[in-house]
Amino acid sequence: MREEALAYAYRIFDHRRWERVPTSERGAVFNELVADPEFGGPLHPYMTDGEIRVWLKDSVAKEYPRALEGIGGTAKFTARRYPGPSAIIHAALGVEWTVVSGTIEQKPMRCEARGPNGDSVTVFWGPLRGLRDLHWAASRARVLGTARVAIAITRPSMRPLPAGEWSDVEALCNLIGVNSYSVMYAPRTVNS
């Protein structure tokens, strides 16, 4: 039953392009799903509406971005995928840079990239709403001795981030000595 509920929720998230749904509108989607007989109905014998909503918000929805990255046990429930770390690295650093095998990690998403001259950089990426976590992780990397660190703020379309918000990102990154990039990174439908 859990897998059926996850699959149904992710079909809804895929259809709505969840990564573009503003935080302020997500609660209404959770409420709709809880009330939906196809989603909430099978769960109601085991959970209250409140428990279903908490599970949906704190588990299902939180795992969805990682599922779009192709990471974790819930990845099989989405029909969409981000293009992957190489797309981030190429857009931020250039096509001559490559992802170092075995360095892709999550919470937040990150990897090490190697340049044509053997230079390396640790790149953290995610949407603007995750800047706090990205900044903290990049700060920790710098404190722990990582020489070169970058933060790539992802956006779902070609539209640039608002100038004021981008200025804040740059100022925060400069404060800890890391490079900042704005990268278009949108999930695509994949063949099943």
Side-chain angles (χ1 to χ4, degrees):
M1 175 182 355
R2 177 185 176 275
E3 289 198 349
E4 290 83 5
L6 279 165
Y8 188 83
Y10 280 15
R11 279 194 303 275
I12 299 298
F13 290 175
D14 285 347
H15 177 74
R16 292 186 183 228
R17 295 182 170 201
W18 187 251
E19 69 284 354
R20 293 183 182 207
V21 175
T23 305
S24 61
E25 297 175 18
R26 291 181 175 198
V29 177
F30 296 146
N31 292 338
E32 289 172 21
L33 275 166
V34 170
D36 184 330
E38 287 189 61
F39 178 78
L43 299 173
H44 279 121
Y46 308 100
M47 305 166 81
T48 66
D49 282 357
E51 290 169 333
I52 294 170
R53 192 177 192 288
V54 167
W55 175 68
L56 186 57
K57 177 181 177 287
D58 292 345
S59 181
V60 177
K62 281 193 177 176
E63 287 299 316
Y64 187 71
R66 285 183 279 286
L68 290 177
E69 293 282 1
I71 293 173
T74 63
K76 64 185 175 187
F77 298 115
T78 178
R80 301 167 68 226
R81 290 280 186 279
Y82 282 117
S86 291
I88 295 284
I89 298 308
H90 293 163
L93 304 173
V95 294
E96 65 278 1
W97 286 77
T98 59
V99 174
V100 176
S101 179
T103 65
I104 300 167
E105 296 185 49
Q106 58 179 323
K107 296 185 182 182
M109 293 302 302
R110 63 191 176 279
C111 69
E112 184 179 334
R114 181 125 323 119
N117 298 327
D119 299 345
S120 68
V121 59
T122 299
V123 180
F124 295 85
W125 70 89
L128 182 61
R129 71 175 163 265
L131 179 59
R132 179 188 65 192
D133 294 331
L134 295 168
H135 190 268
W136 175 254
S139 296
R140 291 248 326 126
R142 294 286 289 142
V143 166
L144 294 173
T146 304
R148 189 167 174 202
V149 178
I151 292 176
I153 298 297
T154 59
R155 57 185 201 285
S157 69
M158 293 299 290
R159 181 182 306 135
L161 294 172
E165 290 177 349
W166 182 243
S167 294
D168 290 346
V169 170
E170 289 180 311
L172 287 166
C173 287
N174 287 337
L175 189 65
I176 59 171
V178 304
N179 294 328
S180 54
Y181 302 93
S182 177
V183 175
M184 204 270 306
Y185 192 59
R188 306 174 204 160
T189 302
V190 292
N191 296 331
S192 310

